[in-house]
Amino acid sequence: MRYLIISDLHSNLESLRAALEYRDYDAALVLGDIVGYGANPNEVAEIVRHLGPALIVRGNHDRVAAGLDQGELFSQAAYLAAMWTRRVLTLENRCWLEQLPRGPADLDGLLTIAHGSPLDEDEYLFDPTEAKPQFGAFSTPICFVGHTHIPAIFALGRDGELVFEQPRASESFDLDLGRYRFLINPGSVGQPRDGDPRGSFAVYDTAKSRIEFHRYPYDIEAAQRKIMDAGLPPFLARRLAAGR
Ligand code: ZN
C-alpha cells in the first residue's frame, strides 16, 4: 500500500488541488486542520470528504471552526480567520468537522495518526526532547503527526537513542522498522512554515518501508488574492509567499 499523508490543509484550495494532481497512492491519511487561515473552507472540506480517507483526525482549527472550542489560545489572525470560517461553513460541512475523531487513531496496528502529538492533539513537536516521551503513547511502529507545518522525522532506536532528521524536498528514507520506531511529520499542504513556500506532503510505501517527502508548486497568488478579497488578515496572505 502507498498512503498519501496530508496535514494542515487550512482552507487552501489551490494548494490542495495541486497536491492531488499526484496520483501514485492507494489511500489517504488526513492529520487535521482541514480549515482555518485560508479562504476556501467549504471547497477543501468537500474534497477531503470525497477523498474518503482511510484515517482522519481533527485539528485545533477544525474544533474552533465547528464550535467545539472558542479559540481563546489563538493568535488574533488565527482567531479572526476561525470566526470567519465558522460563519461561512455550510451546515453540512460544519457538522462533518464537528464529528471528526480526536487523535490518536490507529490503522490495523500498522500506523497511528495524531494532529499535534499522540499524547495531546494540541502539542507541537519541534525537537527531540519534545518527541521522546511521545513514543510511550502509541503502540505501532510509526506515528504521523502534523500541527507544526514543518516536515520532520524522529526515530527512536531500541537502545533509546533518538535520531532527528529535517527532510529536504523530494527526499526519501528507508525506514529500518527492526531497529527504530518513528514519529513523522509530512509538513503542511496549506501553509508551509519551513521557509519553502511550496506545498508539502508525504507518501508512506508499506511494501518498501519507505517514506517519501514531496514538495510541489501551486498558485500562491490566487490563494493570497482570495484571502484579501474575503477580508481575512493580510498577514495570512503574506506568509504564504514566505513559507513562514
Ligand atoms: Zn495547522
Side-chain angles (χ1 to χ4, degrees):
M1 284 286 278
R2 286 174 61 81
Y3 289 100
L4 172 76
I5 304 148
I6 53 178
S7 190
D8 297 278
L9 289 62
H10 285 299
S11 303
N12 187 334
L13 180 61
E14 285 68 30
S15 184
L16 179 59
R17 278 196 181 136
L20 294 178
E21 282 173 19
Y22 184 86
R23 294 281 157 79
D24 188 13
Y25 66 91
D26 304 299
L29 309 174
V30 180
L31 312 187
D33 277 2
I34 289 107
V35 301
Y37 295 134
N40 287 104
N42 285 306
E43 293 82 353
V44 168
E46 275 149 31
I47 290 173
V48 173
R49 290 167 61 188
H50 289 124
L51 208 53
L55 212 53
I56 184 169
V57 291
R58 68 187 187 183
N60 49 322
H61 289 258
D62 303 324
R63 268 192 349 254
V64 178
L68 293 168
D69 209 327
Q70 296 316 310
E72 297 93 340
L73 300 175
F74 273 17
S75 69
Q76 196 191 16
Y79 180 80
L80 291 171
M83 293 304 127
W84 177 88
T85 303
R86 204 186 267 186
R87 276 202 309 282
V88 303
L89 276 174
T90 64
L91 182 62
E92 200 183 347
N93 285 330
R94 184 168 165 170
C95 291
W96 176 74
L97 285 172
E98 193 178 355
Q99 59 76 48
L100 287 178
R102 172 201 200 113
D106 165 328
L107 188 72
D108 306 327
L110 176 72
L111 56 87
T112 302
I113 68 169
H115 181 61
S117 85
L119 278 171
D120 177 351
E121 61 182 338
D122 293 341
E123 181 179 11
Y124 292 92
L125 298 185
F126 284 109
D127 62 52
T129 48
E130 292 159 338
K132 202 162 189 179
Q134 305 294 333
F135 285 89
F138 66 98
S139 55
T140 54
I142 306 182
C143 177
F144 294 101
V145 295
H147 198 39
T148 63
H149 302 201
I150 295 174
I153 299 182
F154 303 97
L156 183 68
R158 285 172 175 273
D159 55 3
E161 178 206 12
L162 200 127
V163 183
F164 175 46
E165 291 270 3
Q166 288 178 295
R168 289 187 298 272
S170 308
E171 203 169 7
S172 294
F173 295 84
D174 293 319
L175 304 178
D176 184 349
L177 298 176
R179 288 180 57 203
Y180 293 94
R181 294 174 70 221
F182 295 89
L183 269 164
I184 298 177
N185 190 319
S188 168
V189 167
Q191 195 195 78
R193 292 183 190 160
D194 61 348
D196 181 344
R198 293 177 297 170
S200 182
F201 64 82
V203 175
Y204 175 43
D205 188 316
T206 59
K208 295 177 180 161
S209 293
R210 180 183 294 170
I211 185 86
E212 305 165 6
F213 291 85
H214 293 257
R215 298 305 279 253
Y216 59 92
Y218 74 95
D219 191 345
I220 292 175
E221 284 176 18
Q224 291 179 307
R225 217 162 30 237
K226 288 181 183 175
I227 287 172
M228 299 304 287
D229 290 349
L232 289 161
F235 165 67
L236 298 177
R238 281 199 304 274
R239 71 184 304 178
L240 291 181
R244 293 272 179 213

